[in-house]
DNA sequence: CTCATAATGATAATCGTTTCTATTATCAGT
DNA sequence: ACTGATAATAGAAACGATTATCATTATGAG
């Protein structure tokens, strides 16, 4: 846990660049999209590095991750640190945070009834946002 | 939709073998596990063929599929053809079908409020079954 | 039985993600 | 400021699940 005196996490241009990209992008995007976005901006950051920062950020709870239907992982900087779910547009990735007291309670009840413990749940909603509805 | 006279889906040893494996396996398992299980039984079926049958079966609604936390697709023959969700053991894959009227209603309500359409939802519960609880 | 053709399966290709590792850059202690 | 220990980087190669290719095999309608 504690650092061995004199060593610490270092601040780098790449770390800031990834964080900045996440802040500016409005919806969920894949690691590869973020990498492409950075190149577009002229910020040279290796794909590996993008993956590493996204992983760290998500472990810290600084970004939320979901899996799109094809299994790809999408990242997004989120407002609330509280537990919540997402309703995401299949076309543009824009997403709305939805809070799911109801779902949590349901999950706990169902798990208890079946005698399961350490229950974790994934709940994702995908649809078409107002701009992309037929 | 209709077949061009004289051609039809053929029944094969492999198709039966995959179906039989699914019937006998109690929990969710990956395509590769099913393939391994078949070899164990002495039924030689190509991995490609296993994937193909699982895909077809899931399109027909004969089996349910979920994604485990690592992104792998797991398959399972399910009792009810009605819409339902799963509470699956992280250790053994054994799973309980849970019906989620509550969740469906919640999803629809949330989607409507946000102006989203064509909303699809994925809800999966993973935990430890009674046999594998600490 | 025959034969058109559906099904198979070994191999190669895909694709997102992770590991490897030599190189570069950061920053604590001078 | 300087510098050196070492954290961070990034390209390339590895990885693992899945899908495509395509020559071969086997089904079942006639």
């Amino acid at each position: 846990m504690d650092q061995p005196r004199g060593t610490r996490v270092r601040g780098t241009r790449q770390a800031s660049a990834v964080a900045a990209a996440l802040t500016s992008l409005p919806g969920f995007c894949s690691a590869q999209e973020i990498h492409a976005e950075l190149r577009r901006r002229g910020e040279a950051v290796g794909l590996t590095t993008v993956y590493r920062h996204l992983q760290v950020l998500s472990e810290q709870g600084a970004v939320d991750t979901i899996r799109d239907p094809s299994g790809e992982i999408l990242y997004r900087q989120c407002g609330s640190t509280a537990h919540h779910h997402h309703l995401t547009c299949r076309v543009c990735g824009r997403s709305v945070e939805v809070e799911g007291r109801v779902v949590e309670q349901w999950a706990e009840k169902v798990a208890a009834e079946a005698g399961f413990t350490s229950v974790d749940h994934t709940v994702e909603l995908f649809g078409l946002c107002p701009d992309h509805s037929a």
Side-chain angles (χ1 to χ4, degrees), chain A residues 14-15 18 31-32 34-36 38-39 44-57 75:
Chain A
Q14 291 88 340
V18 171
Q32 320 238 6
I34 290 166
H35 180 239
L38 289 171
R39 308 211 88 199
V45 180
L47 178 57
T48 311
T49 304
V50 173
Y51 271 108
R52 183 151 16 84
H53 281 295
L54 289 173
Q55 199 169 280
V56 169
L57 289 169
Y75 302 84

Side-chain angles (χ1 to χ4, degrees), chain A residues 28 63-66 76-80 82-89 94-99 123-127:
Chain A
F28 275 92
V63 302
D64 281 357
T65 66
I66 58 178
R76 152 111 200 252
Q77 191 177 60
C78 273
S80 79
H83 180 72
H84 61 275
H85 301 291
H86 295 96
L87 168 53
T88 306
C89 178
R94 192 170 305 260
S95 83
V96 178
E97 302 187 15
V98 296
E99 140 282 316
V123 175
E124 300 301 343
L125 306 178
F126 288 96

Side-chain angles (χ1 to χ4, degrees), chain A residues 29 33 58 60 89 96:
Chain A
C29 10
E33 283 169 346
S58 87
Q60 292 175 343
C89 178
V96 178

